[in-house]
Amino acid sequence: MATTLHPIVYWAQTEDNISLKVDLRDTSDPDIDVTAEGLYFKAFGVGAGGLHEYEFQMDFYRNVNPDRSAYRVMDRAVEFNLTKDGPALFWPRLTRDDPKPAWLRIDFDKWKSEDDSDEEDEEAVMKKEQEEQMRQIEKELLETKEQAFADLKTVYLFFFNLLQFIGYAYVVVYLFCRYAFYGKENMKEAFDRAVIPLGICQMFAFLEILHPLIGLVKTGIMAPLMQVVGRNVLLFLVILPNPEVQSDPMVCYLFLVWSSVEVFRYPFYMAGVIDYSSEVLTWLRYTVWIPLYPLGFFSEATVLYLSAPYYEKTQQFSLALPNQYNISMYYPYVIYAYMSTILILAPSLISHMWRQRQRRFRPKKPRTFHVKLN
Protein backbone atom coordinates (compact mmCIF):
# COMPACT_ATOMS: atom_id res chain seq x y z
CA MET A 1 0.00 0.00 0.00
CA ALA A 2 1.41 3.44 -0.98
CA THR A 3 2.16 5.87 1.82
CA THR A 4 0.56 9.32 1.75
CA LEU A 5 3.02 12.18 2.26
CA HIS A 6 2.55 15.80 3.34
CA PRO A 7 3.57 18.45 0.79
CA ILE A 8 5.39 21.59 1.87
CA VAL A 9 2.89 24.46 2.19
CA TYR A 10 3.93 28.13 2.28
CA TRP A 11 1.58 30.77 3.67
CA ALA A 12 1.37 34.52 4.01
CA GLN A 13 -1.31 37.01 5.03
CA THR A 14 -2.59 40.53 4.83
CA GLU A 15 -5.34 42.05 6.93
CA ASP A 16 -7.95 40.69 4.51
CA ASN A 17 -6.47 37.62 2.82
CA ILE A 18 -4.56 34.42 3.32
CA SER A 19 -2.34 33.08 0.51
CA LEU A 20 -1.21 29.46 0.38
CA LYS A 21 1.24 27.82 -2.01
CA VAL A 22 1.38 24.01 -2.09
CA ASP A 23 4.85 23.09 -3.36
CA LEU A 24 3.75 20.36 -5.78
CA ARG A 25 4.69 20.13 -9.46
CA ASP A 26 2.74 18.41 -12.23
CA THR A 27 -0.30 18.06 -9.99
CA SER A 28 -3.00 15.62 -11.13
CA ASP A 29 -6.31 14.33 -9.74
CA PRO A 30 -6.63 17.09 -7.10
CA ASP A 31 -9.26 16.62 -4.38
CA ILE A 32 -9.71 20.01 -2.70
CA ASP A 33 -12.34 21.16 -0.24
CA VAL A 34 -12.32 24.68 1.20
CA THR A 35 -14.74 25.35 4.07
CA ALA A 36 -15.13 28.23 6.48
CA GLU A 37 -13.27 26.30 9.20
CA GLY A 38 -10.51 24.59 7.23
CA LEU A 39 -8.97 23.14 4.09
CA TYR A 40 -8.55 19.57 2.80
CA PHE A 41 -6.08 18.79 -0.01
CA LYS A 42 -5.16 15.55 -1.76
CA ALA A 43 -3.43 15.07 -5.13
CA PHE A 44 -0.73 13.26 -7.07
CA GLY A 45 2.36 15.25 -7.98
CA VAL A 46 6.10 15.74 -7.64
CA GLY A 47 7.04 17.11 -4.22
CA ALA A 48 9.79 16.71 -1.65
CA GLY A 49 9.24 12.94 -1.66
CA GLY A 50 9.25 12.58 -5.45
CA LEU A 51 6.26 11.46 -7.50
CA HIS A 52 3.74 10.43 -4.90
CA GLU A 53 0.31 11.03 -3.43
CA TYR A 54 0.28 14.02 -1.08
CA GLU A 55 -2.37 14.97 1.43
CA PHE A 56 -2.96 17.43 4.28
CA GLN A 57 -5.76 18.96 6.29
CA MET A 58 -5.74 22.09 8.44
CA ASP A 59 -8.20 23.94 10.67
CA PHE A 60 -7.91 27.71 10.34
CA TYR A 61 -7.25 29.99 13.31
CA ARG A 62 -10.41 31.92 12.36
CA ASN A 63 -13.02 31.45 9.65
CA VAL A 64 -12.61 32.30 5.98
CA ASN A 65 -15.25 33.04 3.36
CA PRO A 66 -15.20 30.05 0.97
CA ASP A 67 -17.45 31.84 -1.54
CA ARG A 68 -14.92 34.63 -1.96
CA SER A 69 -11.92 32.29 -1.97
CA ALA A 70 -10.30 30.60 -4.95
CA TYR A 71 -7.43 28.36 -5.98
CA ARG A 72 -5.61 27.48 -9.19
CA VAL A 73 -3.51 24.49 -10.20
CA MET A 74 -0.25 25.62 -11.80
CA ASP A 75 2.62 23.68 -13.32
CA ARG A 76 4.90 24.21 -10.32
CA ALA A 77 2.46 24.72 -7.44
CA VAL A 78 -1.15 24.92 -6.34
CA GLU A 79 -2.02 28.42 -5.12
CA PHE A 80 -4.88 29.48 -2.84
CA ASN A 81 -6.27 32.96 -2.20
CA LEU A 82 -8.52 32.81 0.85
CA THR A 83 -10.58 35.76 2.05
CA LYS A 84 -10.80 36.25 5.80
CA ASP A 85 -14.31 36.32 7.25
CA GLY A 86 -15.03 39.05 9.76
CA PRO A 87 -13.13 42.20 10.69
CA ALA A 88 -9.85 42.92 8.94
CA LEU A 89 -7.01 41.94 11.23
CA PHE A 90 -3.83 39.92 11.32
CA TRP A 91 -3.93 36.35 12.66
CA PRO A 92 -1.24 35.35 15.16
CA ARG A 93 -0.96 32.03 13.31
CA LEU A 94 -2.63 30.15 10.47
CA THR A 95 -3.85 27.01 12.19
CA ARG A 96 -5.96 26.50 15.25
CA ASP A 97 -3.47 24.04 16.74
CA ASP A 98 -0.15 25.21 18.13
CA PRO A 99 2.65 24.38 17.39
CA LYS A 100 2.23 24.41 13.66
CA PRO A 101 2.98 21.31 11.54
CA ALA A 102 6.54 20.85 10.32
CA TRP A 103 5.43 20.96 6.68
CA LEU A 104 3.81 24.43 7.05
CA ARG A 105 6.21 27.32 6.40
CA ILE A 106 6.05 31.08 5.97
CA ASP A 107 6.16 32.56 2.45
CA PHE A 108 8.43 35.52 3.14
CA ASP A 109 8.08 36.78 -0.45
CA LYS A 110 4.42 37.57 0.24
CA TRP A 111 4.48 38.05 4.01
CA LYS A 112 3.13 41.26 5.44
CA SER A 113 2.95 42.08 9.12
CA GLU A 114 0.78 44.64 10.85
CA ASP A 115 3.51 47.18 10.27
CA ASP A 116 5.11 46.64 6.86
CA SER A 117 7.81 49.17 7.61
CA ASP A 118 8.87 47.31 10.73
CA GLU A 119 11.61 45.05 9.42
CA GLU A 120 12.29 43.74 12.90
CA ASP A 121 8.96 41.86 12.85
CA GLU A 122 9.93 40.10 9.66
CA GLU A 123 13.36 39.27 11.05
CA ALA A 124 11.78 37.93 14.24
CA VAL A 125 9.36 35.78 12.25
CA MET A 126 12.19 34.51 10.05
CA LYS A 127 14.34 33.76 13.08
CA LYS A 128 11.50 31.89 14.75
CA GLU A 129 10.86 29.94 11.54
CA GLN A 130 14.54 29.00 11.28
CA GLU A 131 14.65 27.94 14.93
CA GLU A 132 11.60 25.75 14.46
CA GLN A 133 13.11 24.21 11.34
CA MET A 134 16.37 23.49 13.22
CA ARG A 135 14.46 21.89 16.09
CA GLN A 136 12.53 19.77 13.60
CA ILE A 137 15.75 18.71 11.86
CA GLU A 138 17.37 17.83 15.20
CA LYS A 139 14.30 15.84 16.17
CA GLU A 140 14.29 13.95 12.85
CA LEU A 141 18.03 13.24 13.14
CA LEU A 142 17.57 11.94 16.69
CA GLU A 143 14.66 9.73 15.65
CA THR A 144 16.66 8.44 12.68
CA LYS A 145 19.65 7.69 14.92
CA GLU A 146 17.49 5.88 17.46
CA GLN A 147 15.75 3.85 14.75
CA ALA A 148 19.08 2.94 13.14
CA PHE A 149 20.43 1.77 16.51
CA ALA A 150 17.26 -0.26 17.15
CA ASP A 151 17.51 -1.90 13.71
CA LEU A 152 21.22 -2.64 14.17
CA LYS A 153 20.59 -4.10 17.63
CA THR A 154 17.80 -6.30 16.26
CA VAL A 155 19.98 -7.63 13.43
CA TYR A 156 22.93 -8.26 15.75
CA LEU A 157 20.93 -10.05 18.45
CA PHE A 158 19.03 -12.15 15.92
CA PHE A 159 22.19 -13.40 14.17
CA PHE A 160 24.03 -13.88 17.47
CA ASN A 161 21.28 -16.17 18.72
CA LEU A 162 21.00 -17.86 15.32
CA LEU A 163 24.72 -18.70 15.16
CA GLN A 164 24.71 -19.95 18.75
CA PHE A 165 21.71 -22.14 17.94
CA ILE A 166 23.47 -23.59 14.86
CA GLY A 167 26.60 -24.42 16.87
CA TYR A 168 24.78 -26.16 19.71
CA ALA A 169 22.38 -27.89 17.30
CA TYR A 170 25.39 -29.39 15.49
CA VAL A 171 26.69 -30.85 18.77
CA VAL A 172 23.27 -32.32 19.64
CA VAL A 173 22.72 -33.89 16.23
CA TYR A 174 26.26 -35.23 15.96
CA LEU A 175 26.40 -36.80 19.44
CA PHE A 176 22.87 -38.19 19.24
CA CYS A 177 23.50 -39.82 15.88
CA ARG A 178 26.87 -41.16 17.01
CA TYR A 179 25.35 -42.75 20.12
CA ALA A 180 22.53 -44.18 17.99
CA PHE A 181 24.87 -45.84 15.48
CA TYR A 182 28.10 -46.52 17.40
CA GLY A 183 27.22 -46.49 21.10
CA LYS A 184 30.24 -45.89 23.34
CA GLU A 185 32.88 -46.88 20.76
CA ASN A 186 35.83 -44.51 20.37
CA MET A 187 34.54 -41.74 22.65
CA LYS A 188 37.77 -39.76 22.17
CA GLU A 189 36.90 -39.24 18.51
CA ALA A 190 33.39 -38.14 19.51
CA PHE A 191 34.93 -35.69 21.98
CA ASP A 192 37.33 -34.27 19.38
CA ARG A 193 34.50 -33.67 16.89
CA ALA A 194 32.14 -32.07 19.42
CA VAL A 195 34.50 -29.98 21.56
CA ILE A 196 35.48 -27.47 18.83
CA PRO A 197 31.99 -26.13 17.98
CA LEU A 198 30.99 -26.36 21.63
CA GLY A 199 34.09 -24.46 22.73
CA ILE A 200 33.46 -21.72 20.15
CA CYS A 201 29.86 -21.33 21.32
CA GLN A 202 30.96 -21.23 24.95
CA MET A 203 33.51 -18.51 24.21
CA PHE A 204 30.89 -16.40 22.41
CA ALA A 205 28.54 -17.00 25.32
CA PHE A 206 30.65 -14.48 27.28
CA LEU A 207 28.85 -11.84 25.20
CA GLU A 208 25.66 -12.74 27.08
CA ILE A 209 27.28 -11.21 30.16
CA LEU A 210 28.11 -8.06 28.19
CA HIS A 211 24.67 -7.61 26.60
CA PRO A 212 22.78 -6.61 29.78
CA LEU A 213 25.72 -4.47 30.96
CA ILE A 214 25.54 -2.22 27.86
CA GLY A 215 21.74 -2.28 27.64
CA LEU A 216 21.28 -4.51 24.60
CA VAL A 217 18.92 -6.79 26.54
CA LYS A 218 16.80 -6.09 29.61
CA THR A 219 17.75 -9.08 31.73
CA GLY A 220 19.75 -9.63 34.87
CA ILE A 221 23.45 -10.36 34.77
CA MET A 222 23.75 -12.99 37.53
CA ALA A 223 22.10 -15.89 35.66
CA PRO A 224 24.28 -15.66 32.51
CA LEU A 225 27.36 -14.92 34.64
CA MET A 226 26.94 -18.08 36.74
CA GLN A 227 26.14 -20.31 33.77
CA VAL A 228 28.79 -19.03 31.35
CA VAL A 229 31.63 -18.82 33.88
CA GLY A 230 30.69 -22.16 35.46
CA ARG A 231 30.63 -24.01 32.15
CA ASN A 232 33.80 -22.42 30.80
CA VAL A 233 35.77 -23.14 33.96
CA LEU A 234 34.77 -26.78 33.71
CA LEU A 235 35.43 -26.97 29.96
CA PHE A 236 38.70 -25.04 29.67
CA LEU A 237 40.31 -25.59 33.08
CA VAL A 238 39.23 -29.14 33.89
CA ILE A 239 38.27 -31.12 30.78
CA LEU A 240 40.55 -29.79 28.02
CA PRO A 241 43.83 -30.11 30.04
CA ASN A 242 42.87 -33.68 31.07
CA PRO A 243 43.35 -36.20 28.21
CA GLU A 244 42.23 -39.12 30.39
CA VAL A 245 38.73 -37.80 31.12
CA GLN A 246 38.16 -36.84 27.47
CA SER A 247 37.64 -40.51 26.60
CA ASP A 248 35.00 -41.01 29.27
CA PRO A 249 31.41 -41.20 27.92
CA MET A 250 30.26 -38.90 30.75
CA VAL A 251 31.97 -35.93 29.09
CA CYS A 252 30.01 -36.39 25.88
CA TYR A 253 26.82 -36.89 27.93
CA LEU A 254 27.58 -33.54 29.57
CA PHE A 255 28.09 -31.88 26.16
CA LEU A 256 24.80 -33.34 24.96
CA VAL A 257 22.89 -32.03 27.98
CA TRP A 258 24.44 -28.55 27.75
CA SER A 259 23.69 -28.26 24.05
CA SER A 260 20.14 -29.63 24.35
CA VAL A 261 19.24 -26.83 26.76
CA GLU A 262 20.57 -24.19 24.36
CA VAL A 263 18.84 -25.67 21.31
CA PHE A 264 15.53 -24.66 22.86
CA ARG A 265 16.71 -21.43 24.53
CA TYR A 266 18.18 -19.60 21.54
CA PRO A 267 15.18 -19.98 19.18
CA PHE A 268 13.04 -18.50 21.97
CA TYR A 269 15.39 -15.50 22.12
CA MET A 270 15.38 -15.18 18.31
CA ALA A 271 11.59 -15.00 18.30
CA GLY A 272 11.66 -12.37 21.05
CA VAL A 273 14.09 -10.18 19.11
CA ILE A 274 11.68 -9.93 16.16
CA ASP A 275 8.60 -9.65 18.42
CA TYR A 276 7.26 -13.04 17.35
CA SER A 277 5.24 -14.90 19.96
CA SER A 278 5.08 -18.68 19.83
CA GLU A 279 3.33 -20.72 22.50
CA VAL A 280 5.31 -23.82 21.46
CA LEU A 281 8.71 -22.11 21.78
CA THR A 282 7.67 -20.52 25.07
CA TRP A 283 6.51 -23.84 26.50
CA LEU A 284 9.70 -25.61 25.38
CA ARG A 285 11.92 -22.84 26.77
CA TYR A 286 10.34 -23.05 30.23
CA THR A 287 9.78 -26.82 30.34
CA VAL A 288 12.71 -28.67 28.71
CA TRP A 289 15.07 -27.50 31.47
CA ILE A 290 13.11 -29.51 34.09
CA PRO A 291 14.80 -32.85 33.23
CA LEU A 292 17.95 -31.34 31.68
CA TYR A 293 19.12 -29.07 34.52
CA PRO A 294 19.33 -31.87 37.12
CA LEU A 295 21.05 -34.08 34.54
CA GLY A 296 23.48 -31.26 33.80
CA PHE A 297 24.37 -30.66 37.44
CA PHE A 298 24.85 -34.39 38.01
CA SER A 299 27.02 -34.71 34.88
CA GLU A 300 29.16 -31.70 35.85
CA ALA A 301 29.77 -33.08 39.35
CA THR A 302 30.59 -36.53 37.94
CA VAL A 303 33.11 -35.11 35.41
CA LEU A 304 34.78 -33.13 38.19
CA TYR A 305 35.00 -36.25 40.36
CA LEU A 306 36.47 -38.28 37.46
CA SER A 307 39.03 -35.52 36.72
CA ALA A 308 40.42 -35.17 40.25
CA PRO A 309 42.68 -38.30 40.18
CA TYR A 310 44.49 -37.07 37.06
CA TYR A 311 45.38 -33.75 38.73
CA GLU A 312 46.41 -35.59 41.90
CA LYS A 313 48.80 -37.70 39.85
CA THR A 314 50.23 -34.99 37.61
CA GLN A 315 50.08 -32.06 40.07
CA GLN A 316 49.06 -29.89 37.12
CA PHE A 317 47.92 -26.37 38.18
CA SER A 318 48.98 -27.11 41.79
CA LEU A 319 51.40 -24.80 43.56
CA ALA A 320 53.80 -26.10 46.20
CA LEU A 321 56.03 -24.05 48.46
CA PRO A 322 58.50 -22.55 48.03
CA ASN A 323 57.59 -20.50 44.93
CA GLN A 324 57.83 -16.90 43.75
CA TYR A 325 54.24 -16.20 44.81
CA ASN A 326 54.77 -17.61 48.32
CA ILE A 327 51.43 -19.40 48.19
CA SER A 328 50.38 -23.01 47.89
CA MET A 329 47.37 -24.49 46.13
CA TYR A 330 46.38 -28.12 45.71
CA TYR A 331 44.31 -28.20 42.50
CA PRO A 332 42.33 -31.38 43.34
CA TYR A 333 41.00 -29.56 46.42
CA VAL A 334 39.84 -26.75 44.11
CA ILE A 335 38.04 -29.31 41.96
CA TYR A 336 36.32 -30.88 44.95
CA ALA A 337 35.33 -27.44 46.27
CA TYR A 338 33.91 -26.53 42.87
CA MET A 339 32.00 -29.81 42.75
CA SER A 340 30.53 -29.09 46.20
CA THR A 341 29.55 -25.56 45.07
CA ILE A 342 27.64 -26.98 42.11
CA LEU A 343 25.72 -29.41 44.31
CA ILE A 344 24.95 -26.66 46.85
CA LEU A 345 23.78 -24.06 44.30
CA ALA A 346 21.83 -26.50 42.11
CA PRO A 347 18.62 -26.43 44.24
CA SER A 348 18.52 -22.61 44.29
CA LEU A 349 19.09 -22.40 40.52
CA ILE A 350 16.35 -24.93 39.88
CA SER A 351 14.02 -23.00 42.20
CA HIS A 352 14.80 -19.80 40.31
CA MET A 353 13.92 -21.43 36.98
CA TRP A 354 10.73 -22.90 38.48
CA ARG A 355 9.62 -19.46 39.70
CA GLN A 356 10.23 -18.05 36.24
CA ARG A 357 8.09 -20.79 34.75
CA GLN A 358 5.29 -20.15 37.23
CA ARG A 359 5.31 -16.44 36.45
CA ARG A 360 5.25 -17.15 32.72
CA PHE A 361 2.34 -19.57 32.85
CA ARG A 362 0.44 -18.05 35.75
CA PRO A 363 -3.29 -17.96 34.86
CA LYS A 364 -4.65 -14.47 34.46
CA LYS A 365 -7.07 -13.36 37.13
CA PRO A 366 -10.55 -12.52 35.87
CA ARG A 367 -11.30 -8.84 35.80
CA THR A 368 -13.81 -7.67 38.40
CA PHE A 369 -16.05 -4.66 38.17
CA HIS A 370 -17.28 -2.73 41.20
CA VAL A 371 -20.59 -0.92 41.03
CA LYS A 372 -21.12 1.93 43.42
CA LEU A 373 -24.63 1.98 44.81
CA ASN A 374 -26.07 5.29 45.89
Side-chain angles (χ1 to χ4, degrees), residues 139-183:
K139 180 181 179 182
E140 292 176 354
L141 289 175
L142 181 60
E143 292 176 350
T144 302
K145 182 179 178 180
E146 291 176 350
Q147 184 61 42
F149 175 76
D151 294 340
L152 181 63
K153 181 180 75 171
T154 299
V155 172
Y156 165 75
L157 289 176
F158 181 84
F159 279 100
F160 170 80
N161 291 305
L162 175 62
L163 293 176
Q164 290 290 88
F165 165 74
I166 292 174
Y168 285 114
Y170 169 83
V171 176
V172 170
V173 173
Y174 170 74
L175 291 179
F176 182 82
C177 294
R178 184 174 183 88
Y179 283 137
F181 291 104
Y182 301 103

Side-chain angles (χ1 to χ4, degrees), residues 33 52 153 190 198 211 250 287 333:
D33 183 23
H52 219 284
K153 181 180 75 171
L198 180 69
H211 292 165
M250 185 56 67
T287 304
Y333 287 166

Side-chain angles (χ1 to χ4, degrees), residues 121-146:
D121 289 347
E122 183 173 338
E123 292 178 358
V125 172
M126 183 180 296
K127 183 178 180 180
K128 182 178 180 181
E129 176 74 12
Q130 291 175 347
E131 290 176 352
E132 290 182 356
Q133 290 181 3
M134 289 302 298
R135 284 195 295 268
Q136 182 65 26
I137 292 173
E138 291 175 358
K139 180 181 179 182
E140 292 176 354
L141 289 175
L142 181 60
E143 292 176 350
T144 302
K145 182 179 178 180
E146 291 176 350

